[in-house]
């Protein structure tokens, strides 16, 4: 017999499942969170669950929010179980399940009026975000907010009911300003370099289109702390639901499976208070940049390194990719030769130890993370995780053969077939453009680097252009396996 997750079931959870130790009825909302997906529920929500279980911070409960139609599906799944989530941690010798109860409401995605009203509530002191790298209206090549995006322009029109995250947040801030209420802190939890600054650029940039005085007010009164977040959290499929049911006797519409490791480094810069998350392992620092750069280059760049060769080899799971000597060897050599040398020292951290931890985490056989997830959205991820490393290597006059090969592997993947001829289904918001460009690049490699919004100056660098062309030609002539073999032998 299995137990269906619900508030009523919390008193009779299966023996191996841990439930909340706090009274959910006594929780009060303090945070509105945009982007209630798996990562948020395995990360920020778990830290809050730890805090609430310690008997602290019960006025910092979460209220979910969103702007996209597709988010209504997840909301419906969570509503059926009264906003509860099961989080399952898995490693080779460890599996545990817990039910978190820190979310007490989830506003209907896209209902701007209702969300703005909640943002205007003085009880809400933080607005947090996991809206993915592509949700910030950033020009990929420059890394700067794009105020000409049609959705941003629409939100800036007089009398417009906002539809973007930034538009809704700004409307909430305006109402608080007009009512004399202290503004909330806006806290990004996305994998973006300087995510607080990027979020500030978006909110203030939109405000500037509306009223320069409003932009100045936001700049002077609203906090945007930078943060580094980390926990490998794959998408939920029937596989995960089945494991939860068979191994733990619990039925959950949308469980979260993740690795045991988690990390959150955050600047202690808040407008109107914060939960005491340092009590549950969050590391508060004056400057998160060194930690952030380390993680984005070594971990996220590492994910990109293994993703595309594995995808071309028809490898499904990330741990299987790490069992393939060519993929693992490519990761090890590229990290040590070209990526790690671009990472400045990080307080209290040995970079080689950090890399070894990353390698171990990628090899976790239980997590079920997929290569397709790592390959997703390269048009937004490559300019953040790979191309800045290339730029730094070029500026220093250093070699870029491995990074050029990584870029060539991404290009070859976007052609839309694996080396065996299997079709790769669309896996990027800009897939049609990427596929068309990848097909042109088969005969003329420079066509790929001519995507100015992605590559910028890097795409015009002669050493990189030549190394990329050589790598792409090798991939088309010999395939990923032979090309990686040549690279590892120093013959590419």
């Amino acid at each position: 017999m299995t137990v269906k997750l619900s508030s009523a079931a919390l008193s009779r959870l299966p023996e191996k499942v841990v439930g909340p130790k706090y009274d959910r009825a006594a929780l009060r909302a303090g945070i509105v969170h945009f982007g209630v997906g798996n990562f948020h529920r395995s990360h920020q929500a778990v830290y809050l669950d730890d805090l609430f279980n310690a008997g602290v911070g019960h006025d910092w409960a979460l209220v979910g929010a969103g702007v996209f139609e597709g988010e209504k599906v997840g909301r419906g799944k969570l509503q059926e179980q009264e906003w509860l989530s099961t989080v399952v941690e898995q490693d080779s010798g460890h599996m545990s399940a817990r039910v978190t109860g820190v979310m007490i409401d989830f506003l209907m995605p896209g209902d701007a009026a209702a969300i703005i009203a909640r943002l205007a509530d003085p009880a809400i002191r933080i607005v947090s975000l996991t809206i993915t790298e592509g949700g910030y209206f950033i020009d990929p090549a420059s890394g700067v907010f794009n105020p000409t995006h049609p959705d941003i322009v629409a939100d800036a029109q007089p009398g417009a009911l906002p539809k973007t995250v930034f538009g809704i947040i700004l409307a909430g801030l305006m109402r608080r300003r007009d009512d004399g209420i202290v503004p909330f802190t806006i806290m990004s939890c996305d994998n973006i370099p300087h995510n607080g600054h990027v979020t500030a650029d978006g909110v203030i940039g939109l405000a500037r289109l509306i009223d320069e005085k409003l932009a100045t007010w936001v700049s002077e009164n609203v906090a945007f702390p930078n943060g580094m977040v980390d926990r490998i959290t794959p998408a939920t499929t029937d596989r995960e639901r089945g494991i939860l049911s068979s191994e733990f006797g619990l039925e959950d519409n949308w469980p979260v499976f993740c690795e045991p490791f988690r990390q959150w480094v955050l600047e202690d810069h808040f407008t109107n208070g914060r939960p005491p998350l340092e009590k549950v392992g969050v590391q508060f620092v004056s400057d998160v940049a060194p930690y952030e750069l380390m993680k984005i280059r070594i971990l996220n760049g590492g994910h990109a390194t293994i993703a595309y060769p594995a995808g071309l080899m028809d490898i499904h799971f990330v741990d299987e990719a790490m069992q393939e000597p060519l993929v693992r060897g490519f990761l090890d050599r590229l990290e040590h030769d070209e990526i790690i040398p671009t990472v400045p020292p990080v307080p209290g951290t040995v970079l080689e130890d950090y890399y070894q931890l990353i390698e171990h985490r990628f090899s976790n056989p239980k997590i079920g993370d997929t290569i397709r997830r790592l390959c997703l959205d390269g048009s937004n991820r490559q300019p953040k995780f790979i191309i800045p490393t290339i730029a730094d290597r070029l500026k220093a006059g250093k070699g870029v053969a491995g990074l050029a090969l990584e870029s060539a592997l991404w290009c070859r993947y976007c052609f839309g077939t694996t080396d065996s001829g299997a079709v790769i289904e669309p896996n990027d918001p800009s897939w049609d453009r990427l596929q068309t460009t990848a097909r042109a690049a088969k005969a003329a490699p420079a066509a790929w680097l001519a995507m100015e919004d992605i590559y910028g100056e890097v795409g015009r660098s002669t050493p990189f252009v030549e190394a990329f062309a050589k790598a792409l030609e090798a991939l088309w002539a010999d395939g990923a396996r032979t090309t990686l073999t040549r690279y590892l032998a120093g013959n590419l």
Side-chain angles (χ1 to χ4, degrees):
M1 286 289 292
T2 58
V3 174
K4 181 75 177 75
L5 184 59
S6 67
S7 292
L10 290 178
S11 61
R12 52 184 177 86
L13 289 173
E15 184 180 356
K16 293 194 293 183
V17 180
V18 177
K21 298 175 183 176
Y22 45 89
D23 178 8
R24 293 186 74 222
L27 297 178
R28 299 191 305 281
I31 302 172
V32 169
H33 182 81
F34 286 89
V36 182
N38 280 18
F39 180 76
H40 161 71
R41 294 184 299 134
S42 78
H43 193 264
Q44 182 186 358
V46 168
Y47 279 104
L48 287 169
D49 191 60
D50 283 346
L51 190 67
F52 295 178
N53 278 331
V56 181
H58 290 181
D59 58 341
W60 289 101
L62 286 160
V63 173
V67 297
F68 297 115
E69 186 72 21
E71 293 177 275
K72 293 179 180 178
V73 175
R75 180 187 183 276
K77 291 177 179 178
L78 293 176
Q79 184 177 30
E80 287 181 19
Q81 53 204 45
E82 295 151 293
W83 320 123
L84 295 165
S85 288
T86 311
V87 179
V88 179
E89 295 181 1
Q90 283 190 305
D91 206 341
S92 54
H94 164 83
M95 185 161 65
S96 63
R98 67 192 288 180
V99 173
T100 64
V102 297
M103 179 176 286
I104 59 174
D105 195 7
F106 192 158
L107 304 170
M108 186 61 70
D111 187 348
I115 299 171
I116 293 165
R118 184 61 73 98
L119 294 179
D121 180 351
I124 299 303
R125 287 153 287 162
I126 293 176
V127 172
S128 53
L129 308 166
T130 47
I131 55 175
T132 76
E133 298 87 359
Y136 288 81
F137 301 97
I138 304 166
D139 175 68
S142 67
V144 174
F145 172 69
N146 176 16
T148 65
H149 191 286
D151 293 349
I152 293 296
V153 172
D155 273 5
Q157 299 309 304
L161 185 65
K163 295 183 179 179
T164 69
V165 169
F166 293 158
I168 290 172
I169 287 174
L170 187 59
L173 286 171
M174 291 167 68
R175 192 169 297 183
R176 290 173 83 110
R177 180 193 63 172
D178 295 345
D179 293 345
I181 300 168
V182 177
F184 43 72
T185 295
I186 304 174
M187 181 177 72
S188 172
C189 300
D190 277 300
N191 279 317
I192 295 177
H194 319 298
N195 56 10
H197 296 320
V198 169
T199 309
D201 286 346
V203 177
I204 296 169
L206 174 57
R208 187 166 288 116
L209 296 178
I210 298 170
D211 177 12
E212 191 65 42
K213 290 182 180 178
L214 174 63
T216 300
W217 179 85
V218 173
S219 178
E220 292 177 350
N221 292 278
V222 181
F224 297 86
N226 292 298
M228 184 267 265
V229 296
D230 192 6
R231 190 171 214 182
I232 295 173
T233 310
T236 302
T237 67
D238 287 340
R239 171 185 179 271
E240 285 72 36
R241 280 182 278 269
I243 291 173
L244 180 63
S245 177
S246 62
E247 295 291 330
F248 292 96
L250 187 64
E251 292 182 37
D252 184 326
N253 291 324
W254 194 16
V256 184
F257 278 58
C258 55
E259 61 174 341
F261 178 89
R262 56 183 153 114
Q263 187 176 20
W264 194 358
V265 184
L266 190 57
E267 292 174 357
D268 201 355
H269 177 46
F270 290 78
T271 310
N272 192 19
R274 63 167 175 81
L277 291 165
E278 67 275 9
K279 295 179 182 293
V280 290
V282 176
Q283 190 176 354
F284 285 96
V285 299
S286 59
D287 181 12
V288 79
Y291 303 89
E292 176 184 76
L293 186 66
M294 172 184 72
K295 189 258 178 176
I296 284 173
R297 294 208 173 177
I298 299 177
L299 185 143
N300 296 111
H303 265 157
T305 299
I306 66 175
Y308 299 109
L312 293 172
M313 294 180 191
D314 301 293
I315 297 172
H316 184 71
F317 287 112
V318 175
D319 65 292
E320 293 172 344
M322 293 298 288
Q323 293 170 27
E324 164 55 60
L326 290 172
V327 175
R328 193 182 192 104
F330 182 42
L331 173 68
D332 186 77
R333 181 165 176 188
L334 180 53
E335 289 273 14
H336 285 103
D337 285 4
E338 298 181 27
I339 295 177
I340 295 174
T342 71
V343 179
V346 179
T349 304
V350 177
L351 293 182
E352 178 59 26
D353 292 348
Y354 183 77
Y355 170 72
Q356 293 299 329
L357 173 64
I358 296 305
E359 193 177 64
H360 173 76
R361 292 168 62 197
F362 287 3
S363 303
N364 185 342
K366 294 290 187 179
I367 195 65
D369 201 7
T370 64
I371 289 298
R372 181 170 172 81
R373 185 187 79 86
L374 301 195
C375 291
L376 173 69
D377 203 14
S379 62
N380 277 303
R381 293 178 173 181
Q382 291 279 316
K384 298 171 182 66
F385 303 154
I386 292 292
I387 293 171
T389 308
I390 299 170
D392 281 357
R393 294 284 296 177
L394 291 171
K395 286 174 188 173
K398 304 292 186 181
V400 289
L403 290 162
L405 176 54
E406 189 280 337
S407 251
L409 286 158
W410 176 42
C411 173
R412 171 65 186 84
Y413 177 89
C414 291
F415 186 87
T417 58
T418 70
D419 279 349
S420 72
V423 173
I424 297 170
E425 296 299 328
N427 202 20
D428 193 289
S430 301
W431 186 256
D432 289 346
R433 175 203 182 192
L434 294 176
Q435 189 170 49
T436 299
T437 309
R439 289 177 175 176
K442 184 178 181 181
W448 184 258
L449 303 182
M451 292 190 292
E452 183 74 19
D453 57 321
I454 292 177
Y455 282 96
E457 289 185 18
V458 163
R460 298 189 295 273
S461 165
T462 299
F464 183 68
V465 170
E466 292 175 352
F468 173 84
K470 186 176 182 181
L472 186 61
E473 288 163 2
L475 288 170
W476 276 117
D478 303 317
R481 287 186 177 278
T482 298
T483 303
L484 287 178
T485 300
R486 287 178 54 198
Y487 169 76
L488 293 175
N491 295 324
L492 184 64

